[in-house]
Amino acid sequence: MIAPKDETRIGVYVCHCGTNISAVIDVEALAEFARGLPQVALARDYKYMCSDPGQELIKQDIVDKKLNRIVVAACSPLLHEATFRRVAEDAGLNPFLVQMANIREQVAWVTDDPVDALAKAKAHVAAAVRRVSKHEPLERRSVDVTPRVLVVGGGIAGIQASLTLAEAGKEVILVEREPSIGGHMSMFDKTFPTLDCAACILTPKMTAVKDERNIRLLTYSEIESVEGAVGNYKVKVRRKARYISEEKCVGCMACIDQCVFTKPKFPNEYDQGLGLRKPVYMPFPQAVPPVPIIDPETCLQLSKGKCKQNCVEACGERGAVLLDQEDTIEEFEVGAIIVATGFKAFDPSVMPYYGYGRLPNVYTSLEVERLVNAAGPTGGKLVLRDGSVPKRVVIVHCVGSRDKNYHTYCSRVCCMYSLKLAHLVKEKTDAEIYNCYIDMRTSGKGFEEFYNRVQDEGVHFIRGKVGDISLVPPENGEQSNRMTIQVDDTLLGKVRNFDVDMVILAVGLEPQPDTDDVRRMFGMSCSTEGFFLEKHPKLAPVNTANDGVFLAGVCQGVKDIPDTVAQADAAAAKALALIDRGTFELEPNTAVIDEDNCSGCRICNNLCPYDAIEYDEEKEVSRVIPELCKGCGTCVAACPAGVITGVHFTNDQIFAEIEGMLFDAMPDLLAV
Amino acid sequence: MSDETFEPKIVGFMCNWCSYTASDLAGTARMKHAPNVRIIRVMCSGRVDPTFVLKAFSLGADAVLIAGCHPGDCHYQNQNYKTIRRHAMLKYILPQMGIEPERIRLVWASAAEGQILADAIDKLSEDVRKLGPLRWADNWEENGERLEALESIVKEHEEAMEVQP
């Protein structure tokens, strides 16, 4: 490595970025301006600095022209800082002697006027040049990575990611808050467009999770807290009391048979409330783990303290029913985390004109999934609440999606699952089926073909939004549950009214209600629609702002099962890349206290949220623990004596940057 | 410089995780906005030492923008709360130094809120355009009175120190 010489020689490289930058900013004038700045040895402009020849240009100059500082005026440092640091490193220069000036995202792309753009770009370049002259060579810190992954959410995304990691021989902690894994996919009957039976393709994976030795499955559990950072997270998991021991239970279900409630009485959440269950129940036949659960709110013993406790007796010597069980907290250390917390189906009861919750035969698509499912409340018979078979059915598309009052985005899966439900309902009832749609979006593999098939089966399609659903007026004094649909048929150009006896609302997908809490717990952001924000929409679709946290499934954005599975494997691969390497390199930008000049006032001690500053009682000085410091710099800004240095964000470096940014404000004030 | 042609020069401090990313997003989405704010990246808005703000004013900035993550969303748990305190302090002391408090502004923008940041930049630029140029450094142009005041401070200080053992 070339030691920085006494003389600072800065090379400035202005990127055209094709025409992204050069169409707005006069790049030659900018390079010419850079040449006039103090300590600049050379300045060039080039079409693509990040290309191979562009990188080679910098490397050659570092060697030939003896440059010891590099400024690249191009895109955002969040995009290519790593690239140019590597270039410097390859040429024998410390990577931290590089600074980028963001003239694409923050100048060229947001400024109309070329004169304004050039002035702002000059400021950004002048700031980078002044800053880089104050840079010091730095070494990255390396931390060991715990070779274990936490997967949050046991839907198809979490299951797939866990299995892939386990297959690679890695330990996985899979946490699911419901009593069984399986998520939304386990509620479906068939999957589009192949009409694969959802249970047939999902159940083997669920069982594999149970049998996989590398996976520790924690159902009916929630994450309590997450501490630490990439490579070494400490996670606390609350295991909610299930009142039945997972270790002792063999799934014979005698407790359910013998419950004092001889008949199921309470709505089964898993069946969307359409079916009934007892206080002790199995969520669904294929549940994993195959262990019943007791609902403390409806169980007489747990809610009222008074019951014959037949369940305990039925279990007998096995003793798996534990009515005095309490929540427990377990702690785990993991190196990486995959968040796969899924979605919530849109609740259409907020749209009074669709009558959901008021008109008995208005169903959500998820409810109909349960009705057509052989394991559902009707055993797979599609019947209405009064037991009759519907003859005319309307499927209302885009409920809660593409609607500025609710969600403006398209939920992507509704068109296809509506076609699937149309096919299934037609198959089971031979009813007349009407799809009222805004646009049919069938862009996936085999999707358009399926659309054509359903059209050929005689399903009707009406292009228009449903405006109102109301009961048909009483005939001969009798009120039926038939409904009149009012739809603005945009192809006919008129409003149509027709009667049906079943309405299926194709509800959209929305973020889980506790997304904000989860986001904060894992140090992530959300995009405007409320799903978790990926680090880069195209180039880092499963990474997040938190280096050890990855995303899979709908919690990152709406998608169907194939995309979810693909993304889950991508997240698993990213997590594997992190933990398999065994070490992770951290940025060196921690805080450092100059102990000789620290007065021991301890102002900084309480400012650190990570307890990374310790106080030495003997020497009466404060000290930063580098392993705990995350480099925010708040203590640096607070030190009254100015003896805390924010490495790579020192006062001198930022002052220099301010000077550069204001190069044209009151120029006579600036010393060269 | 007449007011019609006055374009304020504003220094913006933005945190790496939310507001700087929001600024990048505004760029990627081509949300055009006023070119007046020149952006300095810090890891956290909590790094913004009040002296950075004073330094910017002393070098001719007409305003300073500090942008961070929304309260409760800080990448460093709650360091932006310290930014709130410092901003309140600056609002209080700047007028004592002859700077309108409107020249310092704190805004929150999450990584997804490019439009909010772009709008905030437009608004601040517009507001400062109305305020006119600051040229704070002109306030202490060398003159006899100022030198005399400075010398008397030094003298007082020396006298005070003499009392100490």
Side-chain angles (χ1 to χ4, degrees):
Chain A
M1 191 175 291
I2 303 167
K5 305 248 167 34
D6 291 343
E7 187 203 0
T8 302
R9 292 176 58 81
I10 305 171
V12 180
Y13 297 86
V14 179
C15 181
H16 299 196
C17 194
T19 55
N20 280 310
I21 293 171
S22 59
V24 183
I25 298 171
D26 182 343
V27 283
E28 283 168 27
L30 188 58
E32 186 55 39
F33 166 78
R35 265 171 225 124
L37 292 171
Q39 299 175 315
V40 170
L42 70 88
R44 298 183 194 274
D45 61 277
Y46 187 72
K47 199 139 184 92
Y48 291 104
M49 282 317 306
C50 63
S51 68
D52 253 9
Q55 296 187 24
E56 209 47 49
L57 192 64
I58 300 178
K59 286 182 202 170
Q60 277 303 318
D61 284 348
I62 290 173
V63 177
D64 298 347
K65 306 282 183 346
K66 300 192 167 42
L67 301 179
N68 50 24
R69 297 285 193 285
I70 301 296
V71 167
V72 184
C75 50
S76 169
L78 302 184
L79 196 65
H80 269 318
E81 190 174 56
T83 310
F84 295 111
R85 280 182 174 175
R86 204 161 44 236
V87 168
E89 210 165 11
D90 286 351
L93 194 64
N94 184 283
F96 295 93
L97 300 176
V98 173
Q99 176 70 13
M100 288 190 76
N102 186 338
I103 61 165
R104 192 180 74 169
E105 280 84 347
Q106 293 181 348
V107 184
W109 279 350
V110 293
T111 314
D112 278 325
D113 183 60
V115 177
D116 290 343
L118 182 60
K120 187 174 174 185
K122 281 180 179 176
H124 279 216
V125 168
V129 166
R130 281 184 175 259
R131 187 191 210 280
V132 83
S133 74
K134 309 274 184 198
H135 281 200
E136 300 280 342
L138 301 169
E139 296 298 327
R140 285 195 183 89
R141 298 171 293 151
S142 177
V143 290
D144 290 335
V145 176
T146 308
R148 191 178 297 118
V149 182
L150 171 73
V151 178
V152 187
I156 179 60
I159 290 173
Q160 180 74 18
S162 300
L163 288 174
T164 301
L165 286 162
E167 208 177 314
K170 300 299 170 190
E171 265 184 74
V172 177
I173 314 290
L174 174 57
V175 176
E176 164 60 48
R177 73 170 152 198
E178 300 298 331
S180 169
I181 55 169
H184 281 97
M185 187 177 169
S186 66
M187 297 177 184
F188 304 156
D189 181 41
K190 302 286 190 295
T191 56
F192 63 76
T194 50
L195 297 177
D196 281 312
C197 152
C200 312
I201 54 178
L202 180 63
T203 313
K205 283 195 184 284
M206 288 166 62
T207 321
V209 167
K210 178 168 66 76
D211 296 339
E212 175 57 68
R213 264 185 248 162
N214 286 327
I215 299 177
R216 174 89 197 279
L217 175 61
L218 307 174
T219 52
Y220 208 49
S221 302
E222 292 191 53
I223 308 293
E224 192 83 354
S225 66
V226 180
E227 283 173 18
V230 53
N232 298 285
Y233 295 100
K234 285 194 177 62
V235 184
K236 281 191 183 146
V237 179
R238 173 176 294 273
R239 305 206 62 193
K240 293 179 281 186
R242 189 184 186 108
Y243 305 105
I244 291 180
S245 161
E246 280 184 39
E247 290 73 35
K248 293 178 182 165
C249 176
V250 291
C252 71
M253 301 204 254
C255 53
I256 303 178
D257 294 340
Q258 296 300 314
C259 178
V260 290
F261 286 93
T262 48
K263 289 214 166 81
K265 194 183 165 191
F266 307 101
N268 185 347
E269 298 83 357
Y270 184 81
D271 281 334
Q272 303 298 301
L274 293 174
L276 298 174
R277 61 161 173 82
K278 294 181 179 182
V280 53
Y281 67 103
M282 189 76 104
F284 57 101
Q286 305 91 341
V288 168
V291 176
I293 178 166
I294 300 177
D295 170 21
E297 282 178 21
T298 52
C299 167
L300 290 179
Q301 180 62 33
L302 292 171
S303 63
K304 303 209 165 59
K306 226 175 154 182
C307 181
K308 283 196 287 179
Q309 303 186 18
N310 289 0
C311 50
V312 179
E313 199 185 327
C315 197
E317 285 179 7
R318 190 161 285 123
V321 178
L322 306 168
L323 292 172
D324 56 354
Q325 199 181 37
E326 286 179 356
D327 290 8
T328 53
I329 305 281
E330 281 194 50
E331 280 192 56
F332 298 95
E333 287 184 15
V334 297
I337 297 171
I338 295 176
V339 176
T341 50
F343 64 95
K344 176 181 162 288
F346 177 75
D347 176 4
S349 57
V350 295
M351 308 169 100
Y353 41 94
Y354 284 165
Y356 179 74
R358 181 166 51 86
L359 305 177
N361 293 336
V362 176
Y363 294 83
T364 68
S365 45
L366 203 51
E367 289 171 335
V368 179
E369 293 283 357
R370 295 310 294 155
L371 287 180
V372 295
N373 192 314
T378 56
K381 274 191 234 139
L382 189 92
V383 289
L384 298 172
R385 284 182 216 269
D386 62 3
S388 65
V389 177
K391 294 188 185 67
R392 285 161 71 86
V393 179
V394 67
I395 301 177
V396 181
H397 287 230
C398 297
V399 176
S401 312
R402 305 183 70 197
D403 183 333
K404 67 177 179 190
N405 297 312
Y406 303 101
H407 299 301
T408 48
Y409 57 85
C410 165
S411 289
R412 280 185 66 189
V413 293
C414 320
C415 279
M416 284 307 294
Y417 79 57
S418 295
L419 290 174
K420 175 193 74 179
L421 288 175
H423 167 84
L424 293 175
V425 173
K426 183 103 189 152
E427 189 180 61
K428 284 179 189 275
T429 63
D430 202 28
E432 289 296 323
I433 299 181
Y434 300 86
N435 275 278
C436 295
Y437 66 97
I438 306 177
D439 295 292
M440 286 305 293
R441 294 186 167 175
T442 57
S443 62
K445 197 173 182 180
F447 287 12
E448 187 70 13
E449 292 84 342
F450 188 72
Y451 179 27
N452 290 334
R453 170 182 166 183
V454 173
Q455 279 179 308
D456 290 343
E457 286 170 359
V459 170
H460 308 287
F461 289 85
I462 300 171
R463 184 170 179 272
K465 209 167 162 64
V466 172
D468 191 52
I469 299 172
S470 53
L471 282 180
V472 174
E475 284 169 44
N476 309 321
E478 261 185 62
Q479 176 67 60
S480 75
N481 283 330
R482 283 174 68 77
M483 294 156 286
T484 302
I485 305 297
Q486 190 184 64
V487 55
D488 180 11
D489 189 326
T490 55
L491 295 180
L492 287 181
K494 65 177 189 183
V495 175
R496 286 168 67 176
N497 291 289
F498 59 96
D499 295 353
V500 296
D501 33 34
M502 182 182 198
V503 172
I504 302 173
L505 300 178
V507 291
L509 276 44
E510 64 182 17
Q512 293 270 20
D514 58 353
T515 295
D516 255 2
D517 300 332
V518 177
R519 166 174 74 85
R520 285 182 187 148
M521 192 178 281
F522 295 103
M524 299 185 286
S525 301
C526 281
S527 46
T528 44
E529 68 269 30
F531 293 105
F532 298 132
L533 187 67
E534 64 282 358
K535 193 171 185 180
H536 190 279
K538 292 171 187 70
L539 301 178
V542 300
N543 299 69
T544 68
N546 191 338
D547 275 324
V549 178
F550 307 97
L551 297 172
V554 181
C555 69
Q556 179 265 333
V558 286
K559 57 180 69 67
D560 61 8
I561 294 169
D563 284 3
T564 295
V565 171
Q567 196 184 22
D569 275 339
K574 282 287 181 190
L576 185 61
L578 170 64
I579 63 169
D580 205 46
R581 192 188 174 99
T583 57
F584 183 80
E585 290 206 322
L586 296 175
E587 288 293 293
N589 58 318
T590 53
V592 178
I593 297 177
D594 171 9
E595 288 177 31
D596 290 344
N597 287 309
C598 172
S599 67
C601 73
R602 307 188 64 174
I603 284 176
C604 57
N605 294 194
N606 294 328
L607 284 174
C608 181
Y610 306 105
D611 294 327
I613 305 178
E614 61 181 0
Y615 183 67
D616 186 331
E617 299 279 355
E618 203 171 306
K619 288 191 184 168
E620 296 184 335
V621 293
S622 296
R623 188 177 299 121
V624 175
I625 308 163
E627 292 75 28
L628 297 181
C629 175
K630 303 244 193 315
C632 68
T634 305
C635 61
V636 185
C639 179
V643 299
I644 310 184
T645 304
V647 174
H648 209 54
F649 287 88
T650 65
N651 285 351
D652 279 353
Q653 287 165 355
I654 296 173
F655 282 151
E657 217 171 341
I658 298 170
E659 287 169 7
M661 287 295 180
L662 295 166
F663 78 102
D664 56 348
M666 298 174 82
D668 45 323
L669 294 175
L670 289 177
V672 172
Chain B
M1 196 186 289
S2 77
D3 279 0
E4 277 80 30
T5 58
F6 167 62
E7 279 300 329
K9 294 189 171 65
I10 304 170
V11 174
F13 295 97
M14 298 195 186
C15 76
N16 183 61
W17 307 99
C18 293
S19 46
Y20 193 88
T21 312
S23 168
D24 275 358
L25 177 66
T28 312
R30 315 298 201 274
M31 296 164 182
K32 302 280 195 279
H33 55 260
N36 305 66
V37 177
R38 297 157 179 193
I39 298 159
I40 292 176
R41 179 169 67 118
V42 285
M43 293 311 282
C44 177
S45 59
R47 175 68 184 95
V48 181
D49 190 323
T51 56
F52 294 174
V53 177
L54 298 176
K55 176 83 173 177
F57 284 128
S58 74
L59 291 174
D62 297 300
V64 172
L65 174 73
I66 302 171
C69 311
H70 286 275
D73 288 357
C74 182
H75 187 79
Y76 302 101
Q77 300 193 6
N78 51 21
Q79 300 301 60
N80 52 359
Y81 290 176
K82 281 90 179 182
T83 316
I84 298 176
R85 292 185 211 161
R86 290 175 188 149
H87 173 249
M89 184 192 75
L90 282 163
K91 279 265 187 208
Y92 182 74
I93 63 166
L94 288 180
Q96 301 174 27
M97 298 176 165
I99 298 175
E100 297 93 328
E102 293 78 19
R103 294 186 187 271
I104 172 90
R105 188 164 293 175
L106 176 61
V107 301
W108 310 124
S110 82
E113 292 174 340
Q115 191 64 57
I116 285 177
L117 190 75
D119 291 347
I121 287 173
D122 278 341
K123 180 80 171 59
L124 179 62
S125 306
E126 185 53 40
D127 291 349
V128 178
R129 220 170 272 135
K130 282 181 200 146
L131 277 177
L134 176 62
R135 300 191 64 83
W136 194 40
D138 288 351
N139 289 4
W140 58 78
E141 256 172 13
E142 291 306 326
N143 62 48
E145 283 169 34
R146 186 177 162 276
L147 271 180
E148 201 178 306
L150 274 177
E151 276 162 11
S152 76
I153 290 172
V154 173
K155 203 169 152 214
E156 268 177 39
H157 184 70
E158 276 171 357
E159 280 168 9
M161 296 301 282
E162 272 169 23
V163 183
Q164 304 289 331

